[in-house]
Amino acid sequence: SASLKAVRPMPFVLTYVGRQMEDGGHAGGGGDHNLFIRGGVFDGNGCAGGVQAMGLRHFTLADTTYRNARGVGLQLGDPALPNTVAGGYEIVADNLYFVCTRPGLAGNIGLLTYIGDSHFTDIVVVDHTVGICDRRWSNRFTRCHVWGGPIPPAKPGEMREMLKDSICFDIQSDGCILRDCYADTGAIGFKIAGNTSLLGCYY
């Protein structure tokens, strides 16, 4: 039930780095298993991202709110680091809520993944320029709902900033499945660049 809030510019409110995915380059090494982030609020307060988590194997994310992120609400993995250090797989994410209520944060992303073989269920993203962006492989998204538009523009007369150039689902991966997902009030509902299945999805 903790609430962590940024009070000055920083990359993320919380950065979590798990143990290396492999020891000495051999599969099945010393990665941590069955760890979790449950509950709470990560508030970027317009000056920080929410959470960056990497080095994950069978990790659970559940029942958490990510608020007013500058940049990214939740980033899993880091493409600038070796995958054995910063990658991840077999993540179970459920009941995550991303919301942006302040102007001046256009260009942000709710959920950004650089990990694979994971399951994301009942995710809601409100008022981000990009709702969910997947850049790895073989992830499953079920009952995810992305919508935006109500945040007023920073300058009068401009388009509502979270709607301008917005993408609800930006899928740049292969082997991805979206089931019963809803893209609501984005300039682009589903932007698909890889081998992806949409089952029961709606825009």
Side-chain angles (χ1 to χ4, degrees):
S1 60
S3 180
L4 304 180
K5 185 175 184 177
V7 295
R8 61 177 176 81
M10 60 184 69
F12 292 93
V13 174
L14 172 71
T15 297
Y16 171 81
V17 183
R19 295 173 64 185
Q20 282 194 195
M21 302 303 293
E22 278 81 14
D23 286 339
H26 300 290
D32 290 320
H33 295 79
N34 279 323
L35 299 182
F36 57 86
I37 297 174
R38 292 185 188 275
V41 176
F42 295 95
D43 189 347
N45 196 27
C47 58
V51 172
Q52 182 185 37
M54 63 187 90
L56 308 174
R57 182 190 293 177
H58 200 75
F59 193 94
T60 298
L61 298 156
D63 308 326
T64 304
T65 297
Y66 303 85
R67 190 181 300 276
N68 290 322
R70 177 173 294 280
V72 182
L74 171 62
Q75 178 175 319
L76 302 174
D78 186 342
L81 297 174
N83 192 55
T84 54
V85 176
Y89 49 86
E90 297 166 1
I91 309 307
V92 176
D94 180 64
N95 189 31
L96 306 183
Y97 183 62
F98 301 82
V99 62
C100 183
T101 58
R102 5 179 347 156
L105 297 177
N108 60 3
I109 301 172
L111 171 63
L112 172 60
T113 71
Y114 293 101
I115 61 173
D117 300 341
S118 297
H119 298 260
F120 300 89
T121 306
D122 295 320
I123 310 293
V124 176
V125 185
V126 180
D127 296 336
H128 290 69
T129 299
V130 177
I132 294 175
C133 183
D134 182 13
R135 296 182 178 172
R136 191 52 75 176
W137 53 69
S138 300
N139 289 316
R140 272 65 179 140
F141 296 90
T142 304
R143 294 192 306 273
C144 296
H145 182 181
V146 179
W147 67 280
I151 296 295
K155 297 179 181 179
E158 292 184 348
M159 182 184 293
R160 294 180 181 272
E161 66 173 48
M162 294 309 171
L163 181 60
K164 184 179 180 181
D165 302 324
S166 61
I167 304 170
C168 294
F169 294 86
D170 186 3
I171 308 300
Q172 304 179 24
S173 61
D174 279 321
C176 183
I177 295 178
L178 279 68
R179 186 184 300 271
D180 298 331
C181 291
Y182 183 29
D184 185 352
T185 324
I188 296 174
F190 298 90
K191 183 178 180 180
I192 309 297
N195 180 19
T196 297
S197 297
L198 276 69
L199 308 173
C201 296
Y202 186 77
Y203 175 45

